[in-house]
Amino acid sequence: MRETNERRRRVAVYCGSADGSDPRYLAEARALGEAIAAAGMGLVYGGASVGLMGAVADAALAGGAEVIGVLPEVLAGRAIAYAGLIALEMLPTMHERKARMHALADAFFAFPGGYGTLDELFEALTLIQTDKVNDFPVVLFGSDYWRGMADWITGRLLADGKISPGDDTLFRITDDPRFAVRTLLDTKRRYHLTAV
């Protein structure tokens, strides 16, 4: 975990700029924003004012958290940029956005999302696997959404030798944002999130 005395810990949250069809995820996004703020941590996210992104940012800002948005210029013209953030960084490409979010964050959480969220998630997992820069797993919110992927990773990738034993523990699935934040703060309990 990259920590300094100069700043608070930050969590990168990967999620969509759409609400989706299940209102539970919107509620969980708000709960995560509240939990991040209550823990005195900062939020790094995709910079949008709408969807799950907007919900987590709204809640974190309302609780007094440092919120940094990182938005690719290609999306800026869609009028989704969140104007009330502590900082909104505009980058030329999606690749640069991912690299910047990774550089700013100490841990990575993901909500159900589309291709962009999956791209961010798998890049974070790959960086953790290869660079060993983080010692906290990526946390995925929404057990029913991610369970099929988790089964495929363990039942196919691990079984076929495409990933090494232990690489299937680089992520955890939970439905409790507050528990995930508490676990992140408790350095003695890293990698002990109970998958549901």
Side-chain angles (χ1 to χ4, degrees):
M1 187 86 36
R2 297 185 303 275
E3 290 183 65
T4 72
N5 293 328
E6 299 168 4
R7 69 162 175 84
R8 67 182 79 187
R9 282 187 190 166
R10 295 186 188 123
V11 177
V13 176
Y14 302 130
C15 56
S17 58
D19 290 351
S21 59
D22 192 331
R24 290 177 302 167
Y25 302 137
L26 199 59
E28 287 180 7
R30 290 187 188 110
L32 178 61
E34 292 167 1
I36 288 170
M41 297 181 357
L43 168 67
V44 178
Y45 84 114
S49 60
V50 295
L52 296 181
M53 282 195 213
V56 71
D58 283 341
L61 285 168
E66 171 197 54
V67 179
I68 301 172
V70 184
L71 191 67
E73 290 172 357
V74 68
L75 298 179
R78 298 187 188 179
I80 63 170
Y82 201 132
L85 303 177
I86 302 299
L88 178 61
E89 299 186 14
M90 304 292 287
L91 295 173
T93 67
M94 296 290 280
H95 293 294
E96 290 168 280
R97 174 206 219 176
K98 289 183 293 182
R100 183 62 179 149
M101 289 179 72
H102 194 269
L104 288 169
D106 301 291
F108 304 90
F109 291 177
F111 279 96
Y115 290 142
T117 301
L118 293 172
D119 176 46
E120 291 165 331
L121 165 63
F122 279 102
E123 181 154 326
L125 289 170
T126 302
L127 289 170
I128 292 168
Q129 176 196 38
T130 57
D131 296 344
K132 305 298 183 193
V133 293
N134 284 64
D135 51 7
F136 191 81
V138 176
V139 178
L140 309 177
F141 297 102
S143 57
D144 54 344
Y145 190 86
W146 299 109
R147 182 56 53 205
M149 182 195 77
D151 291 345
W152 173 71
I153 287 173
T154 56
R156 190 69 187 198
L157 296 184
L158 186 62
D160 285 354
K162 305 299 186 200
I163 59 174
S164 300
D167 287 346
D168 57 327
T169 67
L170 299 179
F171 66 91
R172 293 288 186 271
I173 301 171
T174 185
D175 292 311
D176 188 347
R178 291 176 181 87
F179 175 68
V181 169
R182 286 195 307 270
T183 304
L184 175 58
L185 288 172
D186 185 354
T187 57
K188 294 178 182 175
R189 294 174 61 198
R190 291 178 194 160
Y191 279 100
H192 295 287
L193 278 171
T194 302
V196 293

